[in-house]
Amino acid sequence: MFYKEWFEQREEQIWKDFFTYLSIPSISADKEYKGDVLRAAAFVEQRLNNLGMNVSRLEDLDTPILFAERAIDPSYSTVLIYGHYDVQPVDPIELWDSDPFKPETRDGKIYARGAEDNKGQNFYAMLAVEAFYAKHKDPKVNIKIIIEGAEEIGSPGFEKVAKKYADKLKADSIWIVDMGIESYNIPVLSLGVRGITGLEVTVSNSEFDLHSGSYGGAVYNPIQALCEMMAAAFDEKGHIAIDGFYDTIHPLTDEEKSSLYLATDQKTYEKETGATCFRKEEGYSLQESICIRPTFEINGIYGGYQKEGGKTIIPKEATAKITCRLVAGQDPEDIAKKVEAHLRKVAPSGIVVSISLEGGGESAWARPSDYSARVFVQILKEITGKQVKFCYSGGSIPLTAVLGKAAGGECIFLGTALPEDRIHAPNENFSKKQFIDGYHMIAKGLEVFAQNKNLW
């Protein structure tokens, strides 16, 4: 009741302040908005200072990493809350129904770039901390907050900062407040994201393009060679046929798998994607293949003549861009090296193979049995009134693995986002209900962690 009354007493000012935050075009991908990114950082910094926390900027980066902490007692649990204040570009602007940086409320939803991703979510998290401190003059939990401004461009420099300030970041539970619940009817709590590693492979067989009439049927076409190499990455059962690819995976137990939401069927994916053909590993469902299994994906393949009309050549080279999504236990560098070794092994004799490794990041996976997971599955159940299942996201947020490793605690992925919020797209929106539910979720979490000492 306290948190509800606290919010309602300040509601008019809360929405006003939130709209001010949303009106700052903090687009990290475009250097023209550098000043606005810094304005957003200053806004967040002021909000954190108002909480009575010790606030600092970690390193002198173009997009400041803001860190706040209030250490009460080392014997209490320590919570670290993460968010980001930068936003995606707004293009195509003509598809917006209103100015993306002049927030509007329509039918209970707030429309603006960043309304959900991630200004809405980190703003309600800061409000929850503010309300928690208002209620507890002697709070029995240590709270740390880190809000950065380059998540939408891959958080350059964050890994170095996390390693340098690992002692400051130490926490028992890391709350990544940048996720969603899928549906109010069938809510799910995310336990993690897959890792990723990338490669680019180029194969060549001549110094220049060759006449296909003069040499066709004799000279090995690099495009054919590359396609054969790509096809050799899989066996007939859909398994990735790369030596050692699965060896280090930490598999989920049958009990852990039973707690996951894996009910999505092919018709759902057909509706979501417009795709008419699907593939998966034998022995796994489509959703398992998306969220708890690793992948080998060809993101682009090209070579030879690309323009209108024909050109009868054997191209001198062909290139493919590859990414592998990774699960718990797989190291990005190790997997990249195994993929490279496989491609060189299956390349036709005499074909020249050049491979560049693009880097990536580890997965960040929690377990259903983790304390943080058990706490928030109950909180989400209270908020939605529905039975809650767990899930793993098929996507990747390399920063979370870096942060989790530096902090050393359990990671849990929180938020009240819904698929219809249209993040990264025109008309991004976040309903007031989702905002308020998120605020209560964080406040309830702090209450639970404050009531329990020495949990770890």
Side-chain angles (χ1 to χ4, degrees):
M1 184 62 73
F2 172 86
Y3 291 104
K4 183 176 184 293
E5 292 178 351
W6 185 92
F7 188 97
E8 289 175 348
Q9 290 169 4
R10 297 160 178 78
E11 186 163 5
E12 183 178 350
Q13 188 62 46
I14 286 171
W15 297 129
K16 182 179 179 181
D17 292 344
F18 182 41
F19 276 36
T20 297
Y21 189 21
L22 292 176
S23 69
I24 304 172
S26 49
I27 302 171
S28 54
D30 190 335
K31 292 181 179 179
E32 289 187 11
Y33 293 90
K34 180 179 179 179
D36 296 303
V37 172
L38 294 175
R39 280 204 299 135
F43 177 92
V44 172
E45 191 170 32
Q46 184 60 54
R47 298 291 302 190
L48 294 172
N49 279 315
N50 291 344
L51 299 179
M53 304 180 79
N54 181 21
V55 182
S56 60
R57 295 190 176 196
L58 303 184
E59 295 297 292
D60 184 23
L61 300 177
D62 289 341
T63 54
I65 299 174
L66 303 170
F67 179 74
E69 65 178 328
R70 185 174 174 186
I72 308 298
D73 188 318
S75 69
Y76 296 158
S77 299
T78 299
V79 167
L80 173 61
I81 299 172
Y82 167 84
H84 62 92
Y85 58 81
D86 65 319
V87 299
Q88 282 276 318
V90 299
D91 305 88
I93 186 66
E94 66 272 11
L95 297 183
W96 284 80
D97 294 333
S98 56
D99 189 318
F101 294 110
K102 291 183 179 179
E104 288 187 6
T105 303
R106 302 194 296 271
D107 298 323
K109 295 182 177 182
I110 298 169
Y111 287 81
R113 174 58 87 225
E116 186 261 275
D117 181 28
N118 175 252
K119 289 180 177 179
Q121 307 228 65
N122 66 61
F123 193 79
Y124 72 57
M126 288 188 284
L127 283 174
V129 173
E130 183 179 356
F132 177 78
Y133 283 146
K135 181 180 179 182
H136 298 281
K137 302 307 177 186
D138 182 26
K140 291 180 170 54
V141 63
N142 306 304
I143 301 175
K144 299 178 180 180
I145 301 174
I146 186 165
I147 302 180
E148 54 122 354
E151 192 274 344
E152 300 292 5
I153 55 172
S155 304
F158 191 90
E159 184 171 6
K160 180 180 178 181
V161 169
K163 288 179 179 178
K164 181 176 180 179
Y165 294 97
D167 288 341
K168 290 177 73 72
L169 297 173
K170 291 300 179 188
D172 301 302
S173 186
I174 303 100
W175 301 357
I176 309 296
V177 189
D178 195 14
M179 279 289 183
I181 61 172
E182 289 296 321
S183 165
Y184 271 93
N185 290 324
I186 310 175
V188 296
L189 179 65
S190 178
L191 292 174
V193 293
R194 291 191 290 192
I196 192 170
T197 192
L199 308 89
E200 182 171 298
V201 54
T202 297
V203 299
S204 58
N205 192 26
S206 59
E207 294 182 4
F208 44 83
D209 293 347
L210 303 176
H211 191 294
S212 65
S214 300
Y215 301 101
V219 173
Y220 215 123
N221 189 312
I223 295 177
Q224 179 181 343
L226 184 60
C227 289
E228 291 170 353
M229 291 163 63
M230 296 298 102
F234 298 93
D235 66 17
E236 68 280 0
K237 295 182 179 180
H239 301 307
I240 297 168
I242 295 172
D243 290 344
F245 194 88
Y246 298 108
D247 287 357
T248 58
I249 290 176
H250 299 159
L252 295 170
T253 65
D254 290 341
E255 182 180 358
E256 288 171 333
K257 281 182 66 173
S258 70
S259 68
L260 300 179
Y261 178 70
L262 297 170
T264 304
D265 60 15
Q266 182 168 318
K267 289 184 178 179
T268 299
Y269 291 122
E270 288 174 355
K271 183 178 180 181
E272 289 178 354
T273 66
T276 57
C277 183
F278 293 81
R279 57 164 296 277
K280 61 182 179 65
E281 280 188 82
E282 186 174 294
Y284 296 92
S285 68
L286 284 175
Q287 194 162 9
E288 285 176 306
S289 297
I290 288 173
C291 65
I292 63 172
R293 296 296 291 167
T295 70
F296 177 98
E297 295 292 349
I298 305 161
N299 306 126
I301 188 166
Y302 53 93
Y305 186 66
Q306 303 286 324
K307 296 180 181 180
E308 185 177 354
K311 187 179 183 183
T312 53
I313 60 167
I314 298 171
K316 72 184 186 76
E317 64 183 21
T319 299
K321 294 179 181 292
I322 301 164
T323 52
C324 299
R325 300 284 179 172
L326 311 177
V327 297
Q330 291 183 300
D331 176 76
E333 185 176 348
D334 174 62
I335 294 298
K337 288 179 178 178
K338 288 174 177 174
V339 173
E340 178 179 9
H342 172 83
L343 293 174
R344 294 188 184 281
K345 177 182 175 181
V346 300
S349 178
I351 288 288
V352 178
V353 180
S354 175
I355 297 176
S356 61
L357 306 184
E358 306 296 328
E362 294 180 31
S363 63
W365 271 28
R367 295 276 178 170
S369 56
D370 286 352
Y371 180 81
S372 303
R374 288 185 283 116
V375 165
F376 278 101
V377 80
Q378 290 302 316
I379 290 173
L380 191 53
K381 181 179 179 181
E382 288 180 28
I383 289 173
T384 63
K386 303 287 186 178
Q387 195 66 37
V388 179
K389 283 275 193 177
F390 293 110
C391 74
Y392 289 96
S393 170
S396 303
I397 312 176
L399 171 148
T400 58
V402 171
L403 181 58
K405 187 174 290 188
E410 300 175 348
C411 279
I412 190 69
F413 294 77
L414 305 175
T416 50
L418 296 171
E420 56 263 35
D421 294 342
R422 303 188 67 158
I423 65 169
H424 294 200
N427 298 312
E428 179 180 352
N429 63 88
F430 199 41
S431 73
K432 288 187 174 182
K433 173 178 172 52
Q434 290 167 262
F435 184 100
I436 294 170
D437 283 345
Y439 156 80
H440 283 292
M441 177 179 62
I442 299 300
K444 285 175 180 286
L446 293 173
E447 287 288 339
V448 172
F449 277 76
Q451 291 166 10
N452 295 273
K453 290 186 181 181
N454 303 314
L455 300 168
W456 316 96

